[in-house]
Amino acid sequence: FSCRTNDQLVAFLSRYRDMNFLKSHGRDNARFIRKQGLDRLFLECDTHMWRLGDRRIPEGIAVDGGSDWFLLNRKFVEYVTFSNDDLVTKMKRFYSYTLLPAESFFHTVLENSPFCDSMVDNNLRITNWNRKLGCKCQYKHIVDWCGCSPNDFKPADFHRFQQTARPTFFARKFEAVVNQEIIGQLDYYLYGNYPSGTPGLRAYWENVYDEPDGVRTLSDVALTMYHAFSRLGLRRAETSFHTAGDNSCRYYPMGHPVSVHLYFLADRFQGFLIRHHATNLAVSKLETLETWVMPKKVFKIASPPSDFGRLQFSEIGTDWDAKERLFRNFGGLLGPTDEPIGMQKWGKGPNVTVTVIWVDPVNVIAATYDILIESSAEFTHYKPPLNLPLRPGVWTIKILHHWVQVAETKFLVTPLTFSNQQPIKQEEALKYHSGPPKNTYMEQSFQGLNPVLNIPISAARVDQAKRNAGLVGTRLEAWVDSLVSSVWSAVDICSTGPTACPVMQGCTQTAWSSLSPDPKSELGPVKPDGRLR
């Protein structure tokens, strides 16, 4: 992201057009070689970077490296691209089997080439390093190595863009799903405020699915939930807009979702926007609608509140990002074969130990464990090793201090209406919806805690769960919809085009739809000042 204007950048690079701007790691060359794995052989195969063994660094070469963000002049780029001299040829071969070649190749070639005097040890960038959070080996699933990744900027970092100690023109990282406010702050700082009343300035939409992607790109959990969200929207249209004897606002769902967006407002997740087809029952014509569904608040502090005040929030999800400290699975869409993680956010206070209890939909205690919360801890997270499949339904997480409940939260494990993107068959439904083998989630049973915690197991609920496990078709959809509506609400629905429902708003007229105005994101021809908008 640029933190200076285009005019400022052009003026600077014009003045220093013969220089190459790269950031070096520092002075300890041996440590850099080990840290980067330059003395190891790597090969990428099947979307994984494999470490194959050791290798020797070429003799007579001063190896250097650092950031893979740099500005190179035309002469050096042409040299690297077209030269057949020994240095370039050998370095291209050596770095072909390197973990992060861009973090060292250009530095090494430049410093050993006739262009060595053109190097400036500054890549004109600010990088938001927080190694305590960013160096957690969070990419071990894709690479046989541990590295570090910078954090996203937040509003508290804004002063760093105003420093003048060294020339900087770019900054990283920015991510609107983590924090959009800082992007707006920087935009206003460089180019001034938008006119009063400009819509969409605090909103952010991110597309996660579009029809050309094909339903094969969606998990069965996502496809199940997106369909349920669409039906939830149609029920809202019927209950909010329908009048007796008039079918103009009643619909029948048709086909798979057209598109799905995440929707954020003021840096808070507001839910999903599902665009979908439906037949209007009054005129038997197909319409395209968009439904906004929002998660209901499921985290509750005990009433009356205990004297334990450190717990601020708790949430269950998957794909926990330890660096940005959020769940990347926005909305927490979970199915029977997912492995949920429990997260707690803490305020400062004395060291304490809390007990976390996971209760399934029929009140089987699936897991219980203690967490020591140190005085400086801000977040804790843990994934209990539960036997799968998880029983579908609404789960409850209880958090206790000295065996007194201080808070609870809930999360939905949805039954699946699809298996391999096809309507699920009864044999598969029974396999996924009957709970874990022998009704036990872990090797040890916690059944003895049920009376202690006043969590009775109801025979009627157990029998109902067994009957639900074999449901298919519309009866399965009805079960899914009842569960989804207990933790999600349809906030609004709009029409993307012509509609027979006279009171339904057009999507472009709303403030929330993915089709609503968003001037800050509109792109057009490049203007004389270098701006796209």
Side-chain angles (χ1 to χ4, degrees):
F1 202 95
S2 174
C3 57
R4 296 288 184 271
T5 65
N6 285 1
D7 287 344
Q8 290 171 319
L9 177 62
V10 169
F12 182 87
L13 293 181
S14 298
R15 184 178 178 184
Y16 298 104
R17 63 188 318 124
D18 293 329
M19 309 310 290
N20 290 287
F21 297 88
L22 302 92
K23 183 62 184 165
S24 178
H25 65 91
R27 296 180 179 177
D28 192 342
N29 230 33
R31 181 175 177 273
F32 174 77
I33 289 171
R34 291 194 306 272
K35 183 172 74 74
Q36 293 292 110
L38 292 175
D39 54 353
R40 309 292 179 94
L41 200 64
F42 286 88
L43 181 69
E44 185 176 3
C45 181
D46 294 335
T47 68
H48 189 97
M49 184 67 83
W50 303 93
R51 189 177 73 203
L52 303 182
D54 297 339
R55 67 174 177 179
R56 296 168 65 179
I57 302 296
E59 294 181 359
I61 295 292
V63 175
D64 194 12
S67 171
D68 57 354
W69 298 83
F70 34 71
L71 291 90
L72 307 175
N73 67 35
R74 180 178 290 273
K75 289 179 183 177
F76 179 64
V77 170
E78 288 177 343
Y79 169 71
V80 167
T81 306
F82 301 117
S83 175
N84 291 318
D85 72 10
D86 277 355
L87 173 66
V88 175
T89 303
K90 288 179 180 177
M91 287 300 95
K92 284 182 178 178
R93 188 182 309 123
F94 177 78
Y95 281 99
S96 293
Y97 300 96
T98 300
L99 175 61
L100 296 165
E103 293 189 359
S104 180
F105 171 80
F106 294 97
H107 302 71
T108 299
V109 172
L110 179 61
E111 292 184 38
N112 290 273
S113 75
F115 299 90
C116 59
D117 290 338
S118 69
M119 178 174 171
V120 178
D121 188 16
N122 178 6
N123 64 353
L124 309 181
R125 280 166 170 79
I126 307 169
T127 303
N128 192 24
W129 288 110
N130 183 341
R131 298 185 189 276
K132 184 179 177 182
L133 294 176
C135 301
K136 292 183 177 290
C137 288
Q138 57 263 54
Y139 304 113
K140 289 286 280 185
H141 60 293
I142 56 172
V143 59
D144 294 343
W145 201 251
C146 278
C148 298
S149 179
N151 278 70
D152 294 325
F153 282 108
K154 305 280 178 65
D157 302 308
F158 182 71
H159 67 279
R160 297 175 62 185
F161 307 132
Q162 299 169 300
Q163 64 83 30
T164 56
R166 65 182 179 90
T168 54
F169 292 88
F170 303 96
R172 63 184 288 259
K173 298 166 57 175
F174 294 88
E175 199 175 358
V177 294
V178 174
N179 188 275
Q180 184 183 242
E181 183 183 352
I182 183 64
I183 299 173
Q185 282 182 324
L186 189 51
D187 203 36
Y188 306 156
Y189 172 66
L190 294 177
Y191 302 108
N193 286 330
Y194 284 89
S196 177
T198 301
L201 292 182
R202 304 186 75 198
Y204 174 69
W205 296 264
E206 183 163 301
N207 178 264
V208 293
Y209 172 74
D210 221 18
E211 203 167 28
D213 299 337
V215 292
R216 288 283 174 191
T217 62
L218 293 174
S219 69
D220 291 324
V221 174
L223 192 57
T224 294
M225 292 294 286
Y226 296 162
H227 273 270
F229 291 156
S230 302
R231 294 191 295 269
L232 203 59
L234 298 183
R235 280 198 299 278
R236 172 169 174 89
E238 182 174 350
T239 55
S240 300
F241 307 145
H242 177 62
T243 55
D246 179 12
N247 282 342
S248 61
C249 297
R250 293 183 64 201
Y251 293 88
Y252 183 80
M254 298 293 291
H256 290 304
V258 178
S259 72
V260 180
H261 288 77
L262 304 176
Y263 174 44
F264 297 82
L265 184 64
D267 285 322
R268 291 185 179 274
F269 176 65
Q270 301 294 314
F272 290 95
L273 307 178
I274 315 291
R275 206 178 304 171
H276 52 103
H277 298 308
T279 297
N280 186 291
L281 297 182
V283 294
S284 297
K285 286 187 177 179
L286 198 66
E287 297 181 11
T288 304
L289 312 173
E290 188 166 48
T291 292
W292 170 16
V293 292
M294 178 186 287
K296 294 181 179 179
K297 289 182 169 57
V298 291
F299 173 70
K300 294 180 180 177
I301 296 290
S303 180
S306 71
D307 57 0
F308 177 75
R310 284 197 62 187
L311 181 64
Q312 296 179 349
F313 186 62
S314 180
E315 185 181 6
I316 310 300
T318 56
D319 199 8
W320 172 250
D321 183 340
K323 179 167 66 72
E324 300 301 338
R325 301 192 289 195
L326 52 77
F327 286 111
R328 291 287 176 174
N329 176 7
F330 292 100
L333 307 187
L334 300 171
T337 60
D338 283 311
E339 299 178 348
I341 297 168
M343 177 277 288
Q344 297 82 34
K345 182 179 180 183
W346 306 97
K348 296 287 192 292
N351 287 9
V352 291
T353 299
V354 299
T355 302
V356 182
I357 297 172
W358 294 55
V359 185
D360 92 344
V362 298
N363 281 358
V364 170
I365 297 177
T368 177
Y369 50 88
D370 291 342
I371 306 177
L372 172 62
I373 315 302
E374 296 182 350
S375 60
S376 60
E378 294 180 68
F379 289 86
T380 52
H381 66 280
Y382 179 68
K383 178 171 69 178
L386 302 175
N387 292 328
L388 303 177
L390 306 177
R391 182 172 282 107
V394 177
W395 285 56
T396 303
I397 308 296
K398 296 179 180 290
I399 301 173
L400 287 67
H401 180 234
H402 295 323
W403 289 93
V404 175
Q405 184 168 320
V406 297
E408 74 172 30
T409 191
K410 295 180 182 295
F411 70 97
L412 172 64
V413 174
T414 183
L416 302 175
T417 54
F418 292 91
S419 177
N420 294 318
Q421 294 84 34
Q422 297 294 319
I424 197 166
K425 298 175 181 176
Q426 189 169 53
E427 181 183 348
E428 294 171 309
L430 286 167
K431 172 185 171 184
Y432 289 119
H433 299 162
S434 297
K438 300 179 182 177
N439 204 33
T440 55
Y441 290 97
M442 301 182 78
E443 286 186 15
Q444 67 181 116
S445 169
F446 303 105
Q447 192 172 347
L449 288 175
N450 283 85
V452 175
L453 298 169
N454 194 25
I455 304 174
I457 294 182
S458 163
R461 288 170 71 174
V462 172
D463 290 342
Q464 185 63 56
K466 288 179 180 176
R467 289 193 295 272
N468 288 341
L471 296 178
V472 291
T474 54
R475 294 181 66 196
L476 172 58
E477 286 182 357
W479 179 34
V480 170
D481 291 354
S482 68
L483 292 171
V484 170
S485 62
S486 70
V487 292
W488 291 85
S489 59
V491 181
D492 206 352
I493 185 167
C494 63
S495 174
T496 68
T499 176
C501 179
V503 292
M504 186 179 295
Q505 200 172 13
C507 290
T508 56
Q509 305 303 309
T510 71
W512 57 265
S513 168
S514 63
L515 298 175
S516 62
D518 184 22
K520 69 180 181 305
S521 302
E522 291 173 1
L523 302 181
V526 179
K527 297 178 181 178
D529 63 358
R531 300 201 75 192
L532 291 171
R533 60 176 194 274

